[in-house]
Amino acid sequence: MSGRVMAHYRRIVIKIGSALLVDGKTGLKRAWLDRLSDDIAALKRDGVEVLVVSSGAIALGRTVLKVPAGALKLEEAQAAAAVGQIGLAGAWTESLKAHDIVAGQILLTLQNTEERRQYLNARATLRQLLKVGAVPIINENDTIATSEIRYGDNDRLAARVATMIGADLLVLLSDIDGLYTAPPHLDPNARFLAEIPAITPEIEAMAGGAASELSRGGMRTKVEAGKIATGSGCAMIIASGKIDHPLRAIAEGARHSIFHASSTPVSARKTWIAGQLLPAGTIHIDDGAAAALKRGNSLLAAGVTGVDGHFSRGDTVAIVNQQGGEIARGLSGYDSDEARMIAGQKSTGIEAILGYPARAAMVHRDDLVMSVQKREGSAHA
Ligand code: GLU
């Protein structure tokens, strides 16, 4: 991508609305998708990690099954999604392959992102896909998600994915080029807003209530997505995808609204970890591991000398050095029973002990925050 506007972000989630990808009559808009893949490849060449939340399963399934226009019952939508998702994922795979980029499909429900263990598992998979240079292609698992456990709209799903993976930018591509003070097709005085420094009650009011929402994924869910994203340190752009090369267009100055992040991604997560009042357990580590943590590395099982307390994977633990001082806090990659079994073990021996492949770290460095060291004699704040 020629412009630097997006290249200074390091991890971007791009959400694509159904209408951009699927034409009710002719099916998948492959030429448009190929131009978007060009843009994604350009971003990756600039060193940006890219994740895609792609809608369109239901719309594509409808065209394949020749379902007439009109509202669908839940099971009809689910069947359409089952058919359409195959085509959608296949199209992404082929389109990215032209750039030697591998795609990996992830289907999520609300439950998967709200329940901590599932959240951590999904995040570990996403991280691994990024690590191997693949582009995760994410959608809601519409075929199994019933009303209580579904997002229903991919705007909020994309925001959750962005916060889950610590993205610093979320781009919502749809048929709207940004946020207006009122719906522009209804109000001739509607003003375009290029920058939204904070989502105030006035901004929320502009997005309208449920009654004015024409479809799911209207401006209301976009502003809700903005609240989720910006609150976790991820900026959000709303831009039109109705042109070829929509990402390049943004970088080159095409009209878009940007919602500024209210904090940085790392500090938001780390603040949350550091702010846990009662760690569920304690992990004791040796001097070598303590030095590694200070250098910014993850905590490996090999450096663990003892484990206190009863905790689950994903719970906050205090990390204590040989002198008994708390030097860090983090989210445990293992539950306490597993942690005790593998304490002191090299990564290569862990699979034999647990009976399944080891995770890379006892506490991953992204989930770890060093404690502020109190100096002796320093005054209390
Ligand atoms: N998950 C739905 C689909 O793939 C789209 C939901 C949305 O458009 O927000 O058809």
Side-chain angles (χ1 to χ4, degrees):
M1 184 166 299
S2 52
R4 297 284 118 189
V5 179
M6 297 177 90
H8 74 262
Y9 292 99
R10 100 203 130 76
R11 198 173 269 181
I12 302 183
V13 175
I14 299 156
K15 182 261 171 176
I16 295 128
S18 299
L20 298 176
L21 263 174
V22 181
D23 179 291
K25 291 195 187 72
T26 54
L28 200 112
K29 297 188 194 169
R30 184 56 197 269
W32 181 85
L33 174 59
D34 288 346
R35 299 293 73 76
L36 180 64
S37 292
D38 295 342
D39 289 0
I40 291 173
L43 280 171
K44 281 178 64 69
R45 279 197 298 277
D46 278 342
V48 181
E49 292 177 317
V50 180
L51 301 93
V52 172
V53 173
S54 177
S55 303
I58 297 172
L60 184 58
R62 284 182 84 127
T63 66
V64 176
L65 294 170
K66 301 195 170 46
V67 180
L72 296 181
K73 292 203 206 75
L74 179 63
E75 64 271 22
E76 290 170 336
Q78 290 181 312
V83 171
Q85 183 63 34
I86 297 181
L88 194 61
W92 273 107
T93 301
E94 281 175 24
S95 185
L96 289 171
K97 199 173 168 188
H99 297 279
D100 285 326
I101 297 171
V102 175
Q105 175 183 262
I106 307 253
L107 299 177
L108 294 171
T109 64
L110 183 67
Q111 208 178 22
N112 298 148
T113 55
E114 297 297 300
E115 212 264 309
R116 190 176 236 173
R117 266 167 182 266
Q118 296 184 15
Y119 174 94
L120 290 176
N121 285 332
R123 196 179 64 180
T125 310
L126 288 170
R127 275 184 185 156
Q128 184 62 21
L129 283 168
L130 294 178
K131 195 169 156 195
V132 298
V135 172
I137 306 294
I138 301 148
N139 196 358
E140 180 152 26
N141 196 348
D142 293 306
T143 56
I144 59 156
T146 49
S147 51
E148 337 58 270
I149 58 156
R150 77 194 298 253
Y151 282 90
D153 69 87
N154 276 358
D155 294 326
R156 290 179 308 156
L157 173 66
R160 265 321 245 137
V161 167
T163 62
M164 174 191 257
I165 196 71
D168 44 12
L169 178 67
L170 166 63
V171 182
L172 302 181
L173 293 178
S174 70
D175 50 4
I176 312 162
D177 59 3
L179 180 67
Y180 291 80
T181 52
H185 57 289
L186 300 176
D187 184 345
N189 296 322
R191 251 182 337 106
F192 176 80
L193 297 172
E195 282 198 42
I196 297 93
I199 301 179
T200 57
E202 291 74 33
I203 296 289
E204 285 188 65
M206 287 168 197
S212 69
E213 203 183 350
L214 295 175
S215 62
R216 64 179 165 201
M219 197 45 75
R220 197 171 63 100
T221 61
K222 289 184 173 44
V223 170
E224 275 176 29
K227 279 166 81 177
I228 297 169
T230 59
S232 296
C234 178
M236 186 177 90
I237 285 177
I238 300 178
S240 171
K242 289 201 298 191
I243 44 171
D244 279 349
H245 295 293
L247 299 177
R248 189 171 77 190
I250 296 170
E252 290 175 354
R255 178 181 256 206
H256 62 269
S257 295
I258 181 158
F259 294 68
H260 293 293
S262 51
S263 55
T264 64
V266 169
S267 79
R269 194 207 324 271
K270 298 208 168 186
T271 306
W272 179 75
I273 295 169
Q276 300 283 300
L277 291 179
L278 287 175
T282 304
I283 295 181
H284 300 267
I285 63 171
D286 62 22
D287 285 344
L293 258 47
K294 285 200 185 115
R295 289 195 303 270
N297 293 328
S298 299
L299 174 62
L300 304 181
V304 174
T305 55
V307 176
D308 296 334
H310 183 76
F311 51 87
S312 301
R313 173 167 145 69
D315 283 348
T316 304
V317 288
I319 299 171
V320 169
N321 65 11
Q322 280 181 326
Q323 293 69 44
E326 179 177 319
I327 62 161
R329 282 191 182 187
L331 306 183
S332 180
Y334 289 95
D335 68 33
S336 45
D337 290 341
E338 293 168 326
R340 277 188 194 96
M341 283 162 74
I342 63 172
Q345 299 292 331
K346 293 241 167 2
S347 301
T348 44
I350 293 178
E351 180 167 357
I353 297 171
L354 296 178
Y356 55 82
R359 292 181 191 286
M362 180 81 89
V363 179
H364 192 279
R365 62 194 166 100
D366 286 356
D367 298 332
L368 202 130
V369 49
M370 300 303 286
S371 308
V372 179
Q373 301 294 307
K374 290 193 195 77
R375 269 182 226 102
E376 265 175 64
S378 66
H380 287 285

